[in-house]
Amino acid sequence: MNKNIKIEDFYFKHKINTRLKDLDAFRHVNNAVFLSYIEDARHALIRRWNLDYESKSIIAASIKIDYLKQIKHPSHLIIGQKVSRIGNSSFDIESAVFVEGEDKPACVSLIICVSFDFILNKPVAVHSEIINDYKK
C-alpha cells in the first residue's frame, strides 16, 4: 500500500463526517472505527456494480489497514477508493481515508475481495463491472 497516495489518485470518493460516538478514551477517532468508514465507502462503490447478492456477489477475504495519523472530531472525511488489481476470481480495492483539506491520508487500506456465486457456493470470474472500474 502506498502511504504517499493523494486523494486525486482515486476515481471514487465517498464523504462522511466523524461522529461523537466514534471517539475513544484518548478523544480521537478509535482505530476500529476507521474500518467502518472504509466499509461504508466500499458499499457505496459496490452499489455501482449492480450485484444481485446471490449469483453475482462478492465477499471480503482480507482487510489490511495501516494507521498513519489520528483523526479528531469533528472532521469531514473523504475516503478514496479504486480497484487496484484484478485476478481470476479475486480483486483488490485500495482505500485511503483523508481529513478534508489535508494532503496526507490518516490511513490506507487494502481489501482483497472474491467474486462469489452464493447459489453455486463457489468463487466465479471477476464480474465485468469490476473489470471496467479497474480500467479507469
Side-chain angles (χ1 to χ4, degrees):
M1 292 182 292
N2 180 358
K3 296 176 183 169
N4 296 315
I5 201 153
K6 304 275 187 221
I7 192 64
E8 296 80 19
D9 296 328
F10 296 95
Y11 61 83
F12 183 81
K13 297 169 186 79
H14 181 74
K15 293 186 176 188
I16 193 167
N17 294 320
T18 59
R19 305 160 296 205
L20 186 59
K21 70 178 187 170
D22 298 344
L23 304 181
D24 61 16
F26 301 107
R27 297 174 37 158
H28 62 249
V29 172
N30 186 290
N31 286 358
V33 176
F34 284 57
L35 177 59
S36 69
Y37 298 154
I38 293 165
E39 284 293 288
D40 190 58
R42 185 172 67 92
H43 284 280
L45 176 67
I46 289 169
R47 282 193 291 274
R48 298 162 28 111
W49 298 334
N50 298 316
L51 304 178
D52 66 19
Y53 300 102
E54 290 181 6
S55 63
K56 190 176 183 183
S57 192
I58 63 171
I59 57 174
S62 173
I63 300 174
K64 181 180 184 327
I65 301 174
D66 288 344
Y67 301 96
L68 306 174
K69 63 182 182 178
Q70 298 180 62
I71 296 177
K72 298 191 185 266
H73 175 72
S75 290
H76 302 288
L77 306 177
I78 304 172
I79 297 95
Q81 296 195 107
K82 63 182 175 182
V83 176
S84 60
R85 181 194 64 86
I86 297 284
N88 294 324
S89 62
S90 67
F91 62 97
D92 295 349
I93 297 174
E94 188 176 345
S95 305
V97 177
F98 293 85
V99 174
E100 194 169 52
E102 295 184 10
D103 291 335
K104 297 188 181 211
C107 78
V108 292
S109 172
L110 185 67
I111 304 171
I112 300 171
C113 298
V114 177
S115 294
F116 202 81
D117 184 325
F118 281 96
I119 294 170
L120 299 175
N121 198 32
K122 68 177 192 172
V124 295
V126 175
H127 309 300
S128 61
E129 294 87 347
I130 299 166
I131 294 169
N132 290 339
D133 260 357
Y134 173 69
K135 293 178 179 177
K136 289 184 178 185

